[in-house]
Amino acid sequence: MAHVVTERCVDCRYTDCCAVCPVECFWEVTDPAMLVIDPATCIDCGLCIPECPIYAIYPLAEVPEPYQEWIQKNEDLFAKGTNFTEQTDPLDSAIPLDEIHAREKSKGWNVKDPSAVAEDEGGGGGGAPAAAAAPPPVAPRPVASDEAAEEVPMAPKTPPRAPLDFRVGARIKIGHRVGDVQEMRKGGGAYGGYHDVKVHLEGDQRPVWYLYSALQTFRDQGELEIVDPGPPPNIFQKLFGGA
Ligand code: SF4
Ligand code: F3S
């Protein structure tokens, strides 16, 4: 499974989408002028869908019939593109959502907006764009050497972020997707603590791994909802923490 950028993006390229992608899987291509998604890297989190002002991105299972060819096109095009991770100005030729809808109607197409936004905004084909979310916080760059450390002011020490209050068996909502937490894997080295979480999202055959810190970022931005925290921890989990 992966998400798919459709023809709606062509000659618009608003780029709001790439700023929220936790795995940086958007690529810019020039022919046609748009961003596409690397399907092997996309983790189906759905965060990019409401960011696009013209709702050009669909989950694989929802790609409208007239845009089916874009499933293969994303796969073919991304390898010819340039990885794109920061929002920039849209193309001068960009048009708003109502003009996209009018263009589709003039072709005789009945194209619904992605369900993630259609549900929020009273049905596809007419909703106003969602407000853009703030981009994820950027970690301070490590200092390269002792010499550089003298010249660069020390970054303020950030307090540790609150742990995610769920366990194996939890039910969580990431963006508009709901899934079960299947496994929490402990990281080693300097970081310690859990470093990734296996989630089986509804409607997908295979579970996906999320970085624990990425889920904390989602939580801090209001994109992660803990529907059910899972069974209470046993004595070992109380003593040693985690799942
Ligand atoms: Fe990136 Fe998530 Fe969108 Fe896939 S669904 S392209 S991982 S933001
Ligand atoms: Fe294209 Fe929408 Fe992203 S127009 S570049 S998919 S924000």
Side-chain angles (χ1 to χ4, degrees):
M1 294 282 284
H3 280 47
V4 176
V5 186
T6 63
E7 189 181 330
R8 286 184 173 194
C9 178
V10 171
D11 294 333
C12 293
R13 207 210 58 193
Y14 280 97
T15 74
D16 304 57
C17 53
C18 65
V20 299
C21 180
V23 293
E24 301 187 343
C25 65
F26 282 91
W27 294 70
E28 184 193 29
V29 291
T30 52
D31 184 17
M34 66 185 300
L35 297 191
V36 291
I37 289 172
D38 164 11
T41 305
C42 172
I43 56 173
D44 278 329
C45 69
L47 289 176
C48 54
I49 292 177
E51 298 306 313
C52 175
I54 51 172
Y55 302 143
I57 303 168
Y58 289 80
L60 186 60
E62 283 185 23
V63 176
E65 206 282 323
Y67 293 144
Q68 281 285 311
E69 65 188 287
W70 291 90
I71 299 171
Q72 187 61 46
K73 281 188 175 177
N74 274 242
E75 186 159 357
D76 295 342
L77 286 169
F78 95 86
K80 300 172 190 155
T82 309
N83 193 216
F84 212 82
T85 59
E86 287 181 15
Q87 187 174 357
T88 60
D89 290 336
L91 297 175
D92 290 341
S93 47
I95 57 175
L97 183 62
D98 56 352
E99 287 185 34
I100 294 275
H101 288 152
R103 187 174 70 188
E104 288 165 344
K105 279 194 183 123
S106 73
K107 292 179 179 177
W109 296 350
N110 179 23
V111 174
K112 298 264 185 246
D113 292 332
S115 63
V117 291
E119 281 164 13
D120 290 346
E121 292 164 16
V138 178
R141 284 185 182 282
V143 176
S145 66
D146 290 347
E147 194 177 273
E150 287 171 16
E151 295 166 10
V152 179
M154 289 288 287
K157 198 170 177 184
T158 46
R161 299 161 82 191
L164 294 169
D165 190 20
F166 62 62
R167 295 164 287 281
V168 169
R171 195 154 177 76
I172 60 175
K173 194 171 176 194
I174 307 165
H176 72 286
R177 311 289 310 273
V178 174
D180 296 319
V181 174
Q182 291 192 320
E183 200 175 330
M184 296 174 75
R185 199 160 57 183
K186 199 156 190 167
Y191 302 107
Y194 289 105
H195 79 256
D196 48 16
V197 179
K198 189 176 175 186
V199 182
H200 194 169
L201 293 164
E202 264 179 13
D204 290 349
Q205 288 186 318
R206 283 180 305 170
V208 289
W209 285 99
Y210 287 90
L211 283 178
Y212 189 88
S213 58
L215 288 177
Q216 285 177 305
T217 300
F218 292 168
R219 186 263 322 272
D220 295 347
Q221 293 181 346
E223 297 285 355
L224 175 73
E225 181 190 336
I226 299 170
V227 180
D228 176 349
N234 62 33
I235 184 67
F236 291 106
Q237 291 156 355
K238 279 186 184 160
L239 285 171
F240 302 110

